[in-house]
Amino acid sequence: MKDFQSDLSSVVSLNIGGKKFCTTVGTLTQREPDSMLAAMFSGRHTLSLDPHEGYVFVDRDGKHFRHILNWLRDAVVPTLEESQYTELLREAEYYQLLGLIDGIHAVLNKKKEDEELHTELTRTDIIKCIQSERVRFRGINLSGIDLSKLDLSFVDFSYACLKNVFFSRANLQCAKFRDVDAEGSIFHNATLRECEFTGANLRGALLAGAYLQSANLQDACLVDCSFCGADLRSAHLQNADLTNANLEGAILEGANLKGAKLNNANLKGANLQRAYLRHVNLRDTHLEGAKLDGANLLGAIR
């Protein structure tokens, strides 16, 4: 056990999910004083150290932690591939690094503005279109466009290219996304009740806090997606690929996960009451604190 004092030059050794880093108390506490890291090393808490090597262990993927440290040192958002920004954003949210979260959003918004120059329609065009009935954008390239906070209920986006589209807080109830390519798109807090995502590619998409009651996600690619706190009650997830997906705290009550791939999926604290998990392989799934009352687990591999 060690109590870190206020000496900003004190060296700290960190083990982040098996990757090891060295930095100082000052780096961890000065730039983002309201963050989780600043709280940990403020001197107010006693931390457990590895008895052999003296590292403070944090149970997170260390893949992007060097970017976290560089942000705390220099306040520079790294240049990354589109899908990696979603991963870094997830880590920034975990560590409560509000400045980095804003910086990532600024970079993504700039990219979207640049990409809109190459899309077939702009946000203004979309707004004009949705004033009419039975709107369809089937097969259209809308990559990078900002459609946040719009009422897009019942719109048909089937077969469209929706890479990195910003749907945050949009109303997409009963919208159709059949076979879309929506890799890296952001649906944060969007309303997606009864939407159809059959066969859609949502790899790396952010759906934290989204409302997906009775949504159809059969055969969808949901690899690396974030569904933290999402409402997936009665959702259809048959044969969906949820490898490495983060569903911590999600509501999956009554959801059908028949044939779903859950390799390394995070379902900690999720509500899986009355969910259909028959013959699903749960061996590498993280289920700590999950509610499984009434779930159909017949033949499930655990």
Side-chain angles (χ1 to χ4, degrees):
M1 308 291 283
K2 183 170 181 179
D3 184 6
F4 284 88
Q5 301 300 320
S6 58
D7 183 359
L8 301 182
S9 63
S10 294
V11 175
V12 178
S13 297
L14 297 166
N15 182 341
I16 312 295
K19 292 183 181 294
K20 296 176 180 178
F21 302 86
C22 287
T23 184
T24 65
V25 171
T27 295
L28 295 169
T29 60
Q30 294 300 291
R31 189 171 303 284
E32 298 264 16
D34 297 319
S35 70
M36 188 187 84
L37 291 169
M40 286 175 64
F41 296 95
S42 64
R44 301 192 303 271
H45 303 283
T46 301
L47 303 175
S48 297
L49 303 183
D50 182 294
H52 302 294
E53 298 182 337
Y55 285 88
V56 177
F57 180 74
V58 180
D59 189 13
R60 295 294 292 181
D61 189 342
K63 177 181 177 181
H64 294 296
F65 196 73
R66 67 185 184 91
H67 299 311
I68 298 288
L69 286 181
N70 286 335
W71 164 260
L72 292 173
R73 291 167 179 144
D74 307 317
V76 175
V77 178
T79 301
L80 301 171
E81 297 293 329
E82 295 289 344
S83 60
Q84 292 181 314
Y85 276 119
T86 302
E87 296 174 3
L88 181 57
L89 183 62
R90 189 180 304 167
E91 296 306 300
E93 289 173 345
Y94 175 80
Y95 293 113
Q96 300 170 24
L97 299 166
L98 302 183
L100 179 55
I101 292 170
D102 290 342
I104 293 170
H105 282 307
V107 170
L108 292 175
N109 287 336
K110 178 63 168 60
K111 284 180 175 289
K112 284 170 188 147
E113 290 173 5
D114 294 341
E115 288 171 353
E116 275 194 20
L117 299 174
H118 305 290
T119 59
E120 297 179 57
L121 294 172
T122 65
R123 179 183 172 91
T124 302
D125 295 329
I126 300 290
I127 292 172
K128 290 178 181 177
C129 289
I130 60 178
Q131 293 172 353
S132 62
E133 296 181 0
R134 304 176 71 88
V135 181
R136 294 184 179 183
F137 298 115
R138 293 167 67 94
I140 292 177
N141 180 10
L142 299 173
S143 297
I145 199 169
D146 181 1
L147 299 178
S148 60
K149 301 179 182 178
L150 295 180
D151 184 356
L152 299 164
S153 52
F154 297 93
V155 172
D156 189 351
F157 292 99
S158 296
Y159 313 108
C161 182
L162 303 174
K163 285 185 176 182
N164 305 305
V165 172
F166 196 60
F167 285 111
S168 182
R169 302 183 187 278
N171 178 12
L172 293 153
Q173 181 171 338
C174 296
K176 293 182 179 180
F177 294 90
R178 186 180 183 88
D179 291 313
V180 299
D181 185 357
E183 184 171 343
S185 286
I186 296 175
F187 293 89
H188 184 255
N189 286 340
T191 298
L192 295 156
R193 292 186 184 93
E194 300 180 33
C195 281
E196 181 183 356
F197 284 96
T198 306
N201 175 22
L202 288 160
R203 182 184 291 268
L206 180 64
L207 296 108
Y211 301 92
L212 288 144
Q213 299 96 322
S214 301
N216 187 349
L217 293 138
Q218 293 185 64
D219 301 304
C221 175
L222 306 173
V223 176
D224 295 323
C225 282
S226 174
F227 289 94
C228 288
D231 190 340
L232 288 144
R233 280 177 289 182
S234 301
H236 303 277
L237 291 152
Q238 296 96 309
N239 301 312
D241 190 349
L242 285 151
T243 300
N244 296 324
N246 188 359
L247 295 116
E248 186 167 355
I251 303 172
L252 290 141
E253 188 174 350
N256 189 341
L257 290 117
K258 180 180 179 181
K261 295 179 182 178
L262 292 166
N263 304 63
N264 200 38
N266 179 8
L267 284 157
K268 294 178 182 178
N271 184 349
L272 289 155
Q273 293 175 311
R274 299 189 301 280
Y276 190 97
L277 292 158
R278 193 168 181 175
H279 299 297
V280 173
N281 189 343
L282 299 171
R283 184 168 294 159
D284 297 319
T285 306
H286 304 283
L287 289 163
E288 295 89 335
K291 297 178 182 177
L292 291 160
D293 307 297
N296 188 339
L297 291 160
L298 184 64
I301 302 171
R302 300 181 69 180

